[in-house]
Amino acid sequence: ITGMSGVGKSSVIGELKSLGYPAFDIDTDEWCEWKTTADGNSERQWREDKVQEVLAKEFDAPLFVSGCESNQGKFYPQFDYVVLLSAPLEVLLERVTKRTNNPYGKSEQEREDIIYNTEVIEPLLRSGCDVEINTSQLGIEQVADKLISLAHQ
């Protein structure tokens, strides 16, 4: 499960967990680290060893992982589906302003980053996904239901 900030990734992972599914929000400090790129810049990436470890486990129910970091594509061949959660930019900006479970998106720079990522990164995610779910008119329970249905196909 991938998508821009404010689209509902963490919330739907929480809902899936509450329903008893193995579900992991990979965009946390526990799962990510800062790496220096070839051009000398620094970017946050998934800790590949840790992500691979959870992907290798056997679960009694479908596994759900969510996140949006530059190296996530390395894992796409191991996923049954790559699902893009999307919503219009104005919805994303409103959500990050109002949310209380994540401080990201409150500063002007972070909001500018969200705008940039929606314009530049989201089309790349869209081109690599199998399914897109627009969350702008759906509650978290409805998004979770769609994901569960997809996982059981």
Side-chain angles (χ1 to χ4, degrees), residues 89-99 111:
L89 179 59
E90 58 273 7
V91 172
L92 299 179
L93 294 174
E94 180 181 344
R95 286 179 179 172
V96 298
T97 299
K98 292 181 178 179
R99 69 183 175 187
R111 294 173 70 76

Side-chain angles (χ1 to χ4, degrees), residues 19-63:
L19 295 170
Y21 287 90
F24 298 88
D25 181 353
I26 307 265
D27 279 350
T28 65
D29 290 341
E30 175 186 358
W31 292 90
C32 292
E33 62 189 347
W34 287 94
K35 293 267 191 149
T36 302
T37 60
D39 61 6
N41 290 320
S42 183
E43 67 181 15
R44 202 166 103 137
Q45 295 184 356
W46 287 356
R47 287 187 49 206
E48 294 180 15
D49 59 335
K50 192 165 175 77
V51 173
Q52 190 58 57
E53 186 177 300
V54 79
L55 294 179
K57 286 185 180 178
E58 291 291 326
F59 294 97
D60 293 333
L63 168 67

